[in-house]
Amino acid sequence: PVHMALILEKELFVQCIRCKAIRLQNLAASGRRIVADSPKGKTMILINASLSTLKPTPVVAGGEAFRLKIFLLDRKLQLPRIFHRLARTPDEATEEWVSERLLVDALEEAIRVTRRPSLPVDFGSTIRLADMGIYGMVILSAPTVSDALERSVRFQRLMTTSARIYLEQTNGNVRWIWSSAEQRTLGIRIRNEVVLVEHVAVFRALVPGAIPRRITFIHKPPSDCNAHVSFFDCPIEWGMDENSVEWSSAALHLPLNIDPALSKFIECEAQRRLELLSPIGSLNQVKDVILRRLSTGDTSISTVAAVLGRSPRSLRRELADCGHPYRTLVDSVRRQRAMEMASEGKHSMTNIAL
């Protein structure tokens, strides 16, 4: 089924139609257009959608698709038909959500046509904080580099719902992790490379000349890595467990010389917009974060809420409304993980208990 939702005179009107050519699972944003595509090139524009009962489909902020549109046009590459329906200006793009599949398919087609392994670097390195709307502004206005990284995690849902961003301490350094559950297709591989390039480019906008300690990618290396090596200027490891950028902790406490009042104002505005987004999409997202945090010993609701880009109070309330108190959910994940470890036969009872 296709779900089209329009806000008409402040009243949610939902019309469901059946169409074999188009299959959209849900609407995943509030107060913005969602532009999606169908297998046969038909366009669906979904306006002001907010249906908490529907399972969220991955979307990205319109500014990302607008940048890709300009990138393809500048290089005289074929523009997917749906891209002609996207916003015509950067300002319009900030009011739009775009299906991530649209972005991934366009990247995959571009790499197939150009046969240039450097394309993810060429595109990702063009990003500016201004292209990222309120998400870029809340990062730019952070008091310190450490606060900027924390905000990139806390407010991630203002930029995308297609993956999760985490911060992890390791060997005295900090790893910025991009965790995507999508299938590892060529398009997803290119998308992952673009995201890490964009992250480093944004970090360098805050700290000019910054060099990561290490880059890791889940997928195997492309046929030519020269552009990646030149851009990142640090060791790159391929075929690893996660897509990540590791930064030296020494750079994290550098002040960014931002007016405290301005920083607080933008942070409050970003939080307000975050609260307007649709509620958490599924318990599986919360369980996944709790599972990842078990090894660290920190499964507090404040930490999990930050990873999900929510406030602790909102997360606790929404889980309670669904009949799943947070503490009960944590205990459930612990029991399930303990049973899995016991069935594997590779762990002692002491390790399982810990």
Side-chain angles (χ1 to χ4, degrees):
V2 177
H3 298 79
M4 299 182 64
L6 302 176
I7 299 296
L8 298 178
E9 297 179 356
K10 299 182 180 181
E11 190 172 318
L12 187 64
F13 172 78
V14 181
Q15 178 183 10
C16 298
I17 62 173
R18 296 183 180 277
C19 179
K20 294 182 180 179
I22 308 173
R23 186 175 180 274
L24 299 179
Q25 291 182 324
N26 79 305
L27 314 178
S30 175
R32 296 185 181 182
R33 292 198 307 162
I34 305 175
V35 181
D37 202 4
S38 71
K40 293 187 178 180
K42 295 183 179 179
T43 301
M44 301 295 294
I45 297 183
L46 312 168
I47 305 176
N48 293 330
S50 180
L51 297 176
S52 59
T53 58
L54 300 177
K55 181 181 176 182
T57 269
V59 291
V60 297
E64 183 80 352
F66 182 83
R67 281 181 50 243
L68 181 56
K69 175 182 178 179
I70 299 302
F71 179 84
L72 296 176
L73 287 173
D74 286 347
R75 284 154 182 78
K76 296 180 171 56
L77 296 175
Q78 183 176 0
L79 199 65
R81 182 183 305 175
I82 183 65
F83 270 52
H84 294 289
R85 303 296 296 270
L86 295 178
R88 298 180 181 274
T89 68
D91 289 340
E92 290 179 4
T94 63
E95 300 302 322
E96 194 168 75
W97 285 107
V98 175
S99 164
E100 194 210 19
R101 176 51 52 189
L102 169 66
L103 198 70
V104 167
D105 289 348
L107 286 169
E108 182 168 334
E109 180 63 20
I111 201 82
R112 291 188 187 281
V113 171
T114 63
R115 299 182 181 275
R116 292 183 58 183
S118 65
L119 188 140
V121 176
D122 297 338
F123 172 57
S125 60
T126 64
I127 195 169
R128 302 173 305 157
L129 283 165
D131 297 328
M132 304 167 74
I134 186 64
Y135 181 72
M137 291 301 100
V138 77
I139 293 173
L140 180 62
S141 62
T144 67
V145 175
S146 178
D147 291 321
L149 287 179
E150 185 274 331
R151 289 183 179 190
S152 75
V153 172
R154 178 156 48 109
F155 295 106
Q156 60 186 278
R157 291 176 65 243
L158 294 176
M159 191 65 183
T160 180
T161 66
S162 65
R164 292 297 166 195
I165 302 172
Y166 303 87
L167 290 180
E168 285 188 358
Q169 298 283 339
T170 174
N171 300 323
N173 298 319
V174 174
R175 294 175 65 222
W176 187 91
I177 302 169
W178 169 261
S179 177
S180 173
E182 293 288 332
Q183 252 184 334
R184 298 178 190 175
T185 62
L186 174 60
I188 292 296
R189 191 203 85 188
I190 302 304
R191 168 74 170 145
N192 291 339
E193 291 182 22
V194 167
V195 168
L196 264 60
V197 169
E198 289 177 340
H199 171 69
V200 172
V202 166
F203 195 96
R204 286 173 177 165
L206 301 174
V207 184
I211 298 176
R213 297 294 298 272
R214 183 174 67 128
I215 303 292
T216 65
F217 286 106
I218 291 178
H219 56 270
K220 299 299 182 182
S223 57
D224 185 348
C225 300
N226 288 333
H228 300 73
V229 171
S230 177
F231 175 79
F232 289 120
D233 197 22
C234 71
I236 305 175
E237 299 178 22
W238 305 88
M240 304 300 288
D241 293 333
E242 293 171 316
N243 302 301
S244 70
V245 180
E246 185 173 324
W247 295 103
S248 170
S249 57
L252 299 185
H253 300 293
L254 293 174
L256 297 178
N257 300 318
I258 300 297
D259 179 80
L262 177 62
S263 176
K264 186 63 177 178
F265 175 81
I266 296 178
E267 182 182 21
C268 290
E269 175 60 18
Q271 185 64 42
R272 185 187 70 81
R273 296 195 186 190
L274 193 63
E275 296 293 341
L276 290 176
L277 294 179
S278 56
I280 53 174
S282 71
L283 289 177
N284 289 336
Q285 293 178 357
V286 183
K287 289 180 178 179
D288 177 63
V289 176
I290 293 173
L291 182 61
R292 288 179 59 92
R293 303 300 305 177
L294 285 179
S295 61
T296 69
D298 181 10
T299 58
S300 65
I301 193 168
S302 59
T303 298
V304 172
V307 171
L308 291 168
R310 306 305 302 255
S311 69
R313 179 182 297 179
S314 295
L315 180 60
R316 189 186 300 278
R317 183 180 64 250
E318 289 170 15
L319 288 174
D321 290 344
C322 295
H324 296 277
Y326 181 74
R327 183 47 53 190
T328 302
L329 201 61
V330 172
D331 292 341
S332 173
V333 173
R334 282 192 175 127
R335 283 196 299 272
Q336 183 177 353
R337 179 54 184 154
M339 293 174 63
E340 291 174 353
M341 293 175 69
S343 65
E344 291 171 1
K346 300 178 183 179
H347 308 276
S348 67
M349 292 306 295
T350 301
N351 289 337
I352 294 175
L354 293 175

